[in-house]
Every structure is written in structure tokens, then in C-alpha cells.
Amino acid sequence: MQIILYLIMGIIIGMLFPIQASISARLSSYSKTPLTASLIAFSLGTVILLIINLIVDPAGITIGIDFSYPLYVFVGGAITGVGFNLANIILFSKLGASVTTLVTVTGQMIVGILIDHFGWFGVPANPISITTALGVVIMIFAISLAQTKKKKDSAIMSKGKKKDSKITWITLGVLAGFLPPLQTAINGKLRVATGSLLGATFISFFVGTIILISLILITQRHLEFPMYDTQKNRIPIWVYMGGIFGIFILTGNIVLLPVLGSVLTTMIFLLGQMIMALTIDQFGMFNLQKRKIDSRRIATLVLMIIGIVFVKFL
């Protein structure tokens, strides 16, 4: 019964990903660079977590930190998180949305299996089985089924691109997919180093904020936060709130990884993302265009559930 509660928790957290992405996309449309939207989200999360930590568990960000752990434990989660964000921005322009999603999910599944099989970063070792491998294959197939190849994506892929160049970007996309499971696993180790779930989440947000500030200063030379749209109207306050969802997502990652393992955690999050994505499309939430749910996406949802059953219950 307890495992069911963790699975439900993972689905709910996974549903937050598209919400955060939708809000970030809206904010990005007002800013000159997507990095600015990410910085606002990270900064808000850092401030909120600092206040919560100081009230609830100040030791988690002060005397409770064990600095004998390697440096990567304290900065690795933030670096991989920011790195995946930047990789997606580049890959979307080179491969299109559909191919990018497919190759990065494939990368997530591969490294998730390795983390579980070998017990990296203190994750309980869970050697790969035939049913787990089948579940992963079903999940990847389900994701590929959901990706409709749009003309724009085809144009991006074909416009003056050589075959070897495409293979290079696809390979880089798979490698970029390694980053989210690594981020989750490293942050799980950070929780041990700080002795605090809230402390680990704060440090990851704080380091991510510093990295983003550095990148923006290097590329843009100055920080600029959008407050008005092109019509000189004030940007709605909710557009800045993406970082709140990021807190729940990162905290959920740290909580679920030791219990579910890397592969199952990733799969449950993907299921939650698909459920919420279908909901957003069906009702046109966040001022997005309405899209009816078709049989292909329903089949995707069913296959994703079957894949999870193979991994966890068979």
C-alpha cells in the first residue's frame, strides 16, 4: 500500500512539469533569452527555500552540512539541471521538439538503468531484469508514439543538414538525457550530506541561480528582468511563479529516488507529465491552444502504464 502512495506522489509531481514548462515558456516570450526565465524561477525558489529553511531547519544550510563529501555533491545537481535546460534549448532548434523528446527520454532510461543496476550515488542496487528492460522498451516506444512529426520539425531536420550532422545532434541528445537522472541521484546524496531535505533543495537552487547569473552576464553583459509586455501592459504576477513548482519537483525527486529507484522514478514522472499535458491540451490551459485528445495519445498513456507495471510489479 505504501508503494502505491509513492507512485501516486510521483504522478502528481510529474504533472507539475508541464505546468512549470508552460509558465516558463510564457515568461520566456517576454524576455530576450530563456536563461532569464530560468533565472527568475531559480531565484524565486532560492528565496522561498531560504526563508523556509531558516524557520524550519536552519542547521540544514549551516552547521548541519558535512563538507567532507566531494564537491560534485554540492554543485553537481545544479550543473546537470541547468545543463539539461540549455541542451534542450539547443536541441529543439537543431532536431525539433519530437526528436528531442524521444532521444532525451532514451538517454534518461539508459542512465537510469545504470544507476539502479550498479547502485551509483548511494542508490540501492537493483540489477536489471528482463521485465525491467521490457518495461523500459515499452516506455520509449510509448513516448515515440506520442511524438507527431510536424512539418516544422521535418524542415528543421532537413534544411541544409547532412546525415552525419543529424547523427551527431541525436547522439548529443541522448547524452543530454543522462543529466536528469544524474541530477536526481546527486541531489539524493546531497540530502545525506546536509542531513536535511529542505537544505539539499535550497543548495541546489542556490547554486543553479549562481550558474545562471554567470551565464547571463557572460552572454548578455547585464541582468534584465521583464516587467511589461510589448504593449506596455504589466506582466501577470503568476507568470513569475514557475519556481514554486520547481521546489516541489526537486524535493519530490530527492524523496522518491531512494524508494522507487532511478528508472521507476523517471517513468512515473513521465506518466504524470503525459497526463497533465493531455489535460492542458484538452482545456487550453495557460492561454494555450486547445487540442483534442486523439487515439494515438490515449494509446501512449496505456502503454506507459503497462511499461511501469513491467518494471515494478512483474
Side-chain angles (χ1 to χ4, degrees):
M1 182 61 185
Q2 188 177 21
I3 192 65
I4 298 298
L5 293 176
Y6 278 111
L7 292 175
I8 293 173
M9 177 183 173
I11 291 173
I12 293 173
I13 292 172
M15 293 173 71
L16 299 180
F17 280 87
I19 297 176
Q20 184 191 36
S22 298
I23 293 174
S24 296
R26 182 73 179 272
L27 182 57
S28 293
S29 68
Y30 297 121
S31 59
K32 293 181 178 179
T33 168
L35 289 175
T36 301
S38 297
L39 174 60
I40 292 172
F42 269 81
S43 299
L44 177 63
T46 299
V47 172
I48 293 174
L49 285 165
L50 176 61
I51 295 172
I52 293 175
N53 272 277
L54 291 176
I55 295 173
V56 177
D57 186 19
I61 56 174
T62 52
I63 59 173
I65 302 176
D66 184 353
F67 288 104
S68 65
Y69 281 82
L71 179 63
Y72 80 85
V73 173
F74 299 96
V75 301
I79 292 174
T80 50
V82 173
F84 184 66
N85 179 270
L86 294 177
N88 264 307
I89 294 172
I90 298 171
L91 290 168
F92 266 59
S93 67
K94 299 296 182 180
L95 299 175
S98 298
V99 178
T100 297
T101 300
L102 180 58
V103 296
T104 53
V105 167
T106 301
Q108 290 180 56
M109 293 291 100
I110 292 172
V111 81
I113 287 174
L114 294 175
I115 290 173
D116 284 351
H117 185 79
F118 294 104
W120 292 346
F121 305 105
V123 175
N126 183 23
I128 182 69
S129 64
I130 294 177
T131 54
T132 297
L134 284 174
V136 168
V137 171
I138 291 172
M139 177 64 74
I140 293 174
F141 175 72
I143 297 297
S144 67
L145 188 64
Q147 308 308 313
T148 55
K149 193 173 184 180
K150 299 180 181 179
K151 292 181 180 179
K152 184 178 179 180
D153 289 346
S154 300
I156 292 172
M157 287 286 288
S158 60
K159 187 178 179 181
K161 298 294 181 181
K162 296 181 180 179
K163 185 176 180 180
D164 57 346
S165 177
K166 294 177 185 176
I167 293 175
T168 299
W169 285 112
I170 288 172
T171 302
L172 291 174
V174 173
L175 294 175
F178 289 5
L179 299 178
L182 289 174
Q183 178 191 24
T184 302
I186 292 171
N187 282 334
K189 203 167 184 67
L190 178 60
R191 178 186 182 180
V192 178
T194 59
S196 168
L197 174 61
L198 291 172
T201 309
F202 166 75
I203 290 174
S204 187
F205 264 82
F206 176 73
V207 175
T209 299
I210 299 301
I211 293 172
L212 286 165
I213 289 174
S214 301
L215 289 173
I216 292 174
L217 289 177
I218 292 172
T219 58
Q220 302 293 320
R221 305 294 182 182
H222 67 282
L223 298 176
E224 183 177 341
F225 297 97
M227 298 183 66
Y228 299 92
D229 61 18
T230 55
Q231 305 300 321
K232 303 301 180 181
N233 296 318
R234 190 67 179 260
I235 298 174
I237 190 67
W238 64 265
V239 176
Y240 300 98
M241 296 293 108
I244 296 176
F245 294 97
I247 292 173
F248 288 104
I249 291 169
L250 185 56
T251 304
N253 268 291
I254 297 174
V255 171
L256 293 175
L257 181 67
V259 179
L260 301 181
S262 183
V263 171
L264 190 55
T265 297
T266 300
M267 293 175 76
I268 287 294
F269 283 166
L270 289 171
L271 176 60
Q273 290 178 54
M274 178 58 66
I275 292 172
M276 181 52 70
L278 293 179
T279 304
I280 291 173
D281 283 352
Q282 181 67 20
F283 298 102
M285 297 167 62
F286 307 107
N287 296 322
L288 296 175
Q289 181 182 355
K290 289 185 179 181
R291 295 184 179 90
K292 290 185 178 180
I293 300 175
D294 56 20
S295 57
R296 176 191 292 266
R297 301 179 81 182
I298 293 175
T300 296
L301 203 61
V302 172
L303 285 171
M304 293 177 80
I305 295 172
I306 292 173
I308 289 169
V309 169
F310 265 81
V311 171
K312 183 58 187 177
F313 299 104
L314 295 182

